């Protein structure tokens, strides 16, 4: 027992021994498994080689028949699908030709004279006629749309040729404008009336060909749908027309489903074979089956891939992937050889079915005759494998014992210096971090490298401790200075609420929360005289100490120039901008919104120098983000010009000014707070006093960006005009 404990010690040595034992055990398991597999393979080979020659003949014959059948089906389905695709290519080609002509009319309307277009007339039945259709009555068509329809009427010969030249496929051609007004070419004028003799309203914008073509941006073929005017199913197709990226029209054509079914039936394979057509969305468009799994559904959105037949689902998915191939499937309990090929023009697929009984009838007769020749084969090899397995177990046990002894010896030699090193490193306390190289560690391998690393680390740790102490003192000093800077900045901003100097006629409230200790946002309000009050808000580029210093310069510069020019905002801001450009360092700039209001009249003159738009609420209305006449930001170009905006406030009007730290705050999904959420928050508290209104917005902002660090200064100014009685 003692010897066993020495061979299996604790720690790293024990782990190495356990690893060796597990490795040998796994190796033995692998060898045993491989032996079993080899025996199984050997048995299978012996059994296969002992098969009757009849089985070989049967297999080869059936394989040859199956291969020949598949090759023939592939050729036939490729031919049939190519014929069907040619017909859709013609329809696709006509749509593209028509699109080019419609686009030319829109680009050069002056080249096309206006021609009269009339609503459908019953007496035109059977005559190809251009007709006017609309969603809400002819009298409601927009004059501009009517003018364009009359110019598009010049394309009537082309539309007639598309319809008349494709008899049996295209039976109408429409050109619809985005407002729903449409010109239609067909010979079915009499079928567009209701029971009262009134022309049916027609809105193309809800039809599949219009919606699908706009969504796809190219020629689109729909699934089988009910006709808007006629009592039969159709496949409608359309193509959008864009001019300079704007949708100007959508062109339509339609094919009667029954005619398409007849064409596909003409290309069936075999005596009892049949073909189906499936759209790219999985709808069964054409099928001769009236019952069963391949019956055409009345639901225009039905997908054959929702069938309960997994073989049919797999076949359809493979066919819709664009591949040409064959498979054997069971449909309605009967096996079929199925061959499929894509219709390249529209992305649909055609599948041909031939009964397996019809294809394999000669083979089945031969198989039935040869099946009686099969007999049982031998059962051997068991005893030999048992002896082989016993010998392998004995070899593995001996190998495991030798491995344990060798690993134990090597583990002891490797672990001893590591244990000694661990004790030395564990003694690192306070300043006692000395580690010295000893002869025990000089093993010439990774252990010696580790000891050298510890020696180097102990020396550097002493140096790092001294640096940390010095850095901590510097950081504490910097934090004290930053706290003082924050207090100074706060005292520079006015904080007399709710009325500035207790003047009547208005309420004002402002607040700045910097992203760092000090911020780059600013606000101010001051009197020019007894009746004029100036108030402003700004956002300096950057953050921290640099932005805060530039903010002080901007605030004082703008205020001094406004006072100097006596309220002439344009010249004051222009002069302030020139001086800021001279004083600006590192290309810093500031966005500013500043206004001067005459309290007795409510007249407000303001300049928006690159700042975000203000949110404004009229006395009995909601807050809205109001766009103004923007000017260039300050501090960027010394020759910049500034535009003056003038409005007159009424009693109860409120102006909410803010920096982009409000609207650009984001949530955990990096979605911005934005103008819409700001307006919603303001309208929720539109009846509150300015300070409570601002508190509500800031609460909403905090809830929205919960969990995210504030990355920009957030500054707001709320001004409410109460008027002077």
């Amino acid at each position: 027992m003692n010897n066993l404990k020495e061979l299996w010690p604790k720690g790293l040595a024990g782990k190495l021994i356990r690893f060796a034992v597990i490795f040998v055990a796994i190796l033995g398991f692998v060898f045993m498994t491989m032996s079993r597999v080899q025996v199984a393979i050997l048995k299978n080979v012996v059994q296969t080689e002992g098969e009757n020659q009849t089985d070989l003949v049967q297999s080869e014959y059936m394989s040859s028949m199956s291969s020949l059948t598949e090759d023939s089906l592939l050729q036939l389905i490729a031919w049939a699908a190519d014929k069907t695709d040619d017909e859709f290519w013609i329809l696709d080609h006509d749509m593209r030709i028509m699109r080019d002509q419609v686009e030319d009319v829109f680009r050069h309307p002056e080249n096309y004279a206006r021609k009269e277009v009339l609503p459908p007339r019953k007496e035109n039945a059977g005559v190809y006629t251009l007709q006017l259709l609309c969603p809400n009555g002819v009298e409601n068509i927009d004059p501009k749309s009517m003018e364009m329809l009359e110019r598009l009427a010049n394309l009537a010969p082309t539309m007639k040729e598309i319809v008349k030249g494709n008899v049996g496929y295209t039976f109408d051609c429409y050109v619809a404008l985005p407002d729903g007004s449409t010109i239609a070419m067909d010979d079915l004028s009499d079928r567009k009336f209701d029971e009262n003799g009134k022309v049916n309203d027609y809105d193309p914008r809800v039809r599949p060909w219009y919606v699908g073509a706009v969504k796809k941006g190219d020629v689109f073929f729909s699934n089988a749908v009910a006709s808007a005017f006629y009592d039969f199913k159709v496949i409608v197709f359309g193509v959008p027309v864009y001019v300079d990226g704007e949708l100007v029209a959508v062109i339509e054509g339609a094919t009667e489903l029954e005619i398409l079914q007849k064409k596909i039936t003409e290309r069936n394979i075999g005596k009892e074979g049949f073909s189906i057509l499936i759209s790219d969305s999985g709808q069964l468009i054409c099928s001769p089956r009236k019952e069963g799994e391949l019956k055409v559904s009345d639901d225009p959105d039905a997908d054959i891939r929702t069938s309960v037949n997994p073989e049919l689902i797999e076949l359809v998915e493979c066919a819709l992937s664009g591949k040409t191939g064959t498979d054997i499937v069971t449909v309605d309990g009967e096996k079929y050889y199925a061959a499929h090929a894509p219709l390249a023009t529209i992305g649909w697929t055609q599948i041909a079915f031939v009964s397996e009984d019809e294809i394999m009838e000669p083979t089945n007769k031969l198989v039935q005759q040869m099946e009686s020749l099969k007999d049982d084969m031998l059962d051997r090899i068991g005893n030999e494998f048992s002896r082989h397995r016993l010998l392998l177990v004995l070899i593995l046990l001996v190998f495991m014992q030798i491995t344990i002894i060798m690993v134990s010896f090597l583990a002891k030699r490797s672990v001893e210096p590591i244990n000694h090193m661990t004790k030395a490193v564990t003694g690192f306390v306070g300043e006692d971090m000395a580690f010295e190289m000893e002869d025990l560690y000089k093993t010439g391998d990774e252990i010696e490298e580790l000891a050298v690393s510890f020696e180097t680390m102990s020396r550097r740790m002493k140096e790092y401790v001294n640096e940390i102490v010095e850095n901590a003192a510097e950081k504490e000093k910097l934090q004290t200075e930053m706290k003082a800077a924050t207090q100074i900045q706060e005292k520079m901003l006015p904080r007399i609420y709710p009325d500035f100097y207790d003047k009547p006629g208005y309420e004002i409230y402002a607040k700045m929360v910097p992203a760092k200790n000090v911020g780059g946002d600013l606000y101010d309000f001051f009197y020019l005289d007894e009746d004029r009050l100036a108030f402003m808000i700004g956002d300096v580029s950057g953050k921290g100490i640099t932005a805060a210093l530039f903010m002080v310069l901007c605030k004082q510069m703008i205020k001094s120039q406004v006072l100097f020019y006596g309220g002439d905002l344009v010249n004051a801001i222009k002069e302030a901008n020139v001086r800021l450009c001279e004083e600006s360092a590192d290309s810093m700039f500031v966005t500013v919104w500043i206004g001067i209001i005459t309290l007795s009249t409510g007249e407000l003159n303001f300049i928006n120098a690159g700042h975000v738009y203000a949110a404004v609420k009229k006395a009995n209305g909601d807050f809205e983000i109001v766009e103004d006449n923007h000017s260039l930001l300050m501090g960027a170009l010394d020759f910049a010009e500034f535009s003056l905006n003038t409005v007159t406030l009424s009693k109860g009007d409120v102006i909410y000014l803010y920096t982009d730290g409000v609207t650009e705050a984001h949530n955990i999904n990096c979605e911005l707070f934005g103008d819409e959420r700001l307006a919603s928050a303001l309208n929720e508290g539109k009846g509150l006093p300015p300070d409570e209104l601002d508190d509500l917005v800031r609460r909403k902002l905090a809830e929205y960006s919960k969990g995210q660090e504030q990355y920009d200064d957030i500054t707001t100014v709320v001004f409410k005009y109460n008027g002077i009685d």
Side-chain angles (χ1 to χ4, degrees), residues 203-231:
D203 190 348
R205 296 168 295 183
V206 300
R207 297 298 297 167
W209 58 269
Y210 190 101
V211 176
V214 172
K215 182 178 180 181
K216 184 177 180 182
D218 201 354
V219 178
F220 167 79
F221 286 82
S222 77
N223 291 338
V225 296
S227 173
F229 293 114
Y230 321 120
D231 54 354

Side-chain angles (χ1 to χ4, degrees), residues 222-224 277-279 281-285 297 299-304:
S222 77
N223 291 338
L277 189 64
I278 299 176
S279 72
S281 63
Q283 186 195 31
L284 182 56
I285 303 294
S297 174
D299 182 3
D301 297 322
D303 191 335
I304 194 172

